[in-house]
Amino acid sequence: MEAIIKKSFNEKANKVLGISPEDAIISKSYLLVAFAALLLGGLLGLLQGLNRAGLLVLPSWFTYYQVLTAHGFLLVVVLTAFFAIGYFYAALSHTLGGLLPKVRKLAWIGFALKIIGFVLAVVPILMNKASVLYTFYPPMAAHPVFYIGLVFIVLGVWMCAFGAFVQVANWRKLNKGQHVPILAYFATGVFVLLFFGSIPVTIEVLMIIPWAIGWVETINVMLARTLFWAFGHTLVNIWYLTAVSAWYVVVPKVIGGRRFSDTLTRVVIMLLVIMNIPGGFHHQIIDPGITEHVKFLHVFMSLAIGFPSLMTAYAMFSVFEKTAKKKGGKGIVSWFRKLPWGDVRFLAPMIAMIAFIPGGAGGIVQSTNQLNQVVHNTMWVVGHFHLTVGTSVVLTFYGISYWLVPYLSKRVLTPRMNKLGVIQTLIWTVGMALMAVAMHWVGLLGSPRRTSYTTYFDNATALGWDPYLMFLAVGGTLLMIGVILQVYAVVHLMFFAPKGESEFPIADVEEHAAKTPYWTERWGRVIVIMLIVIAIGYVIPLIEIIGNAPPGSPPYKTW
């Protein structure tokens, strides 16, 4: 009883006084690394875009493929993972009454492992010994140290996942029969996916290391590709689920509204967790060695994720309309004017949501067998990636940073910094629109992805791509300006903004809302169903890929 009273007091104190310094330093450390990766990865992206447009010739000691590998690694692996962990650990601290000492220790161990892995992976890239692109699967082979670095990164992620699980389990033990606070529920879903989704890529990397060292002569390329995309497909939806947490919980509070439905929110999380991992084969639609019925199953699972996304779209726009009309908005569309468009905490995630409409449609195209044949391995895919991750996810992260960083630093978002955030958001939106549209269009004209600039001996078709690639370069330049402004805003809000208390915005549910059923708390059941669905999607094809494997491939260095 005494422990329960103490825990309740800690929760109330945490919400009134803000996050403890010990917990804040964890999240701030993760966020600083995330935005340092953004700055460096953004610069590399600019170099890549200028080269691809034929405006910049990169030196022999720093090739296009080094830049491409480092750009993808820094933004896709480092930025997203460090930001998500920093954000969710702050949420766990705020909603569950502060982090346990052992959870803090796990977070710091995870941080150290990830930093070690980050350094081990980046050094071979800079030495041009790991230009294997973001996907890094065989037959191209990097230096073994690169893969060892990836192992450390995964171990760091697992430490953070275990810390989150311990924190939530402790809260549930002290609050029997109660629902886990909604952001902690989101964190549980994200860390479940991070843990189980990273298992296939861990197996892949442990296969690759002896092959890269030379202890094993050949490797099963199809198996390695399959294990990678079991992870890669899940990773995309981990970012998405992180962004969705802010859409459902934070944005309604920022605009002065309430959450749509606690039950629907938890069901969406459960569906995304259960249906996520079996979808990787839609990235391998043109791969041989995988039977059609298996590909169709994975395409169905990929498209099924559209249902919780549609539920989210309905819920969010219902909240927007209801809140705006309470503030005097009228008409079918004109109520949009009553939303706080001048508040960067709303503007950035709102644009991110809007961008997900064409981004999601492009995902349907790439999950459809016939249409995938047209766009596979073209710049269309890169454009889709920049719409979904570069806009829907990253813009949401930007919006989060404008309230999370002041909250962690006990500082305030001033009108001046809010205005800078609005300008930065608009610059980012215009730059990404130019880049993504150009990439989609030139992809339909046949321009390949993952290649440096070439005219293919002045081929007429290749020369026809140049005007679109110029838009890509202009968009990339604007994005670099946006990166600089964003990093400046984060540093200012963390160290130089006026002192004060900032809110951790969490919207309440609607008044007189129906009670959330307790079966939504049965995470053991959710994980069992998820594992059954994974088995349905992967056991038979993996047996076929291993049992009917062709002669393996030796390592190749193609750069």
Side-chain angles (χ1 to χ4, degrees), residues 348-361:
M350 182 63 175
I351 294 175
M353 291 182 225
I354 294 170
F356 195 70
I357 298 172

Side-chain angles (χ1 to χ4, degrees), residues 161 165 187-197 273 277 523 527 530:
F165 298 152
T188 303
V190 165
F191 283 112
V192 165
L193 282 178
L194 270 171
F195 175 71
F196 285 100
V273 169
I277 297 176
W523 271 103
I527 292 172
M530 178 194 72

Side-chain angles (χ1 to χ4, degrees), residues 316-326 329 331-332 335 339:
M316 292 312 305
F317 281 89
S318 173
V319 168
F320 295 154
E321 182 179 13
K322 189 175 293 186
T323 304
K325 288 189 172 179
K326 282 182 180 178
I332 298 176
W335 55 264
L339 295 173

Side-chain angles (χ1 to χ4, degrees), residues 190-450:
V190 165
F191 283 112
V192 165
L193 282 178
L194 270 171
F195 175 71
F196 285 100
S198 59
I199 290 174
V201 77
T202 303
I203 297 171
E204 180 206 6
V205 169
L206 293 178
M207 287 170 47
I208 291 176
I209 289 173
W211 172 74
I213 292 174
W215 295 344
V216 176
E217 291 185 5
T218 62
I219 195 169
N220 186 328
V221 173
M222 184 60 68
L223 177 59
R225 288 173 63 90
T226 299
L227 291 171
F228 176 86
W229 281 118
F231 152 79
H233 173 70
T234 305
L235 188 61
V236 173
N237 287 292
I238 288 168
W239 309 325
Y240 173 56
L241 188 55
T242 303
V244 165
S245 71
W247 298 355
Y248 268 107
V249 181
V250 174
V251 174
K253 179 69 171 181
V254 168
I255 66 174
R258 291 176 175 267
R259 286 195 283 128
F260 179 75
S261 165
D262 189 68
T263 302
L264 179 138
T265 306
R266 293 173 194 263
V267 168
V268 165
I269 298 167
M270 292 165 62
L271 289 175
L272 286 172
V273 169
I274 289 170
M275 299 191 299
N276 208 310
I277 297 176
F281 280 132
H282 94 251
H283 293 267
Q284 298 174 258
I285 285 179
I286 68 168
D287 281 12
I290 305 170
T291 58
E292 286 186 1
H293 70 275
V294 170
K295 290 180 180 178
F296 278 127
L297 171 64
H298 281 246
V299 166
F300 171 78
M301 295 303 298
S302 300
L303 296 177
I305 294 176
F307 288 101
S309 296
L310 291 173
M311 293 161 67
T312 298
Y314 176 82
M316 292 312 305
F317 281 89
S318 173
V319 168
F320 295 154
E321 182 179 13
K322 189 175 293 186
T323 304
K325 288 189 172 179
K326 282 182 180 178
K327 295 181 177 181
K330 299 185 182 300
I332 298 176
V333 176
S334 58
W335 55 264
F336 268 96
R337 299 174 187 171
K338 291 293 182 179
L339 295 173
W341 297 100
D343 189 337
V344 66
R345 300 172 303 163
F346 165 75
L347 179 66
M350 182 63 175
I351 294 175
M353 291 182 225
I354 294 170
F356 195 70
I357 298 172
I364 293 173
V365 167
Q366 287 160 216
S367 299
T368 307
N369 182 57
Q370 294 88 339
L371 296 177
N372 186 277
Q373 307 299 316
V374 178
V375 301
H376 195 88
N377 276 337
T378 70
M379 285 293 286
W380 166 287
V381 177
V382 188
H384 167 74
F385 206 61
H386 281 80
L387 261 186
T388 51
V389 179
T391 310
S392 294
V393 172
V394 170
L395 260 185
T396 302
F397 287 1
Y398 290 172
I400 291 171
S401 70
Y402 283 99
W403 59 261
L404 179 59
V405 174
Y407 167 79
L408 294 170
S409 304
K410 296 189 184 298
R411 298 180 184 273
V412 294
L413 174 65
T414 61
R416 175 175 165 270
M417 288 308 300
N418 178 72
K419 185 176 180 180
L420 178 68
V422 170
I423 294 170
Q424 187 273 340
T425 299
L426 295 177
I427 290 173
W428 187 271
T429 301
V430 173
M432 196 61 79
L434 287 172
M435 175 180 278
V437 170
M439 286 175 167
H440 278 85
W441 198 272
V442 79
L444 290 176
L445 297 178
S447 180
R449 63 188 296 207
R450 293 175 163 174

Side-chain angles (χ1 to χ4, degrees), residues 402 420 423-424 427 480-490:
Y402 283 99
L420 178 68
I423 294 170
Q424 187 273 340
I427 290 173
M480 190 62 220
I481 295 172
V483 165
I484 293 170
L485 291 177
Q486 179 63 35
V487 172
Y488 167 77
V490 168

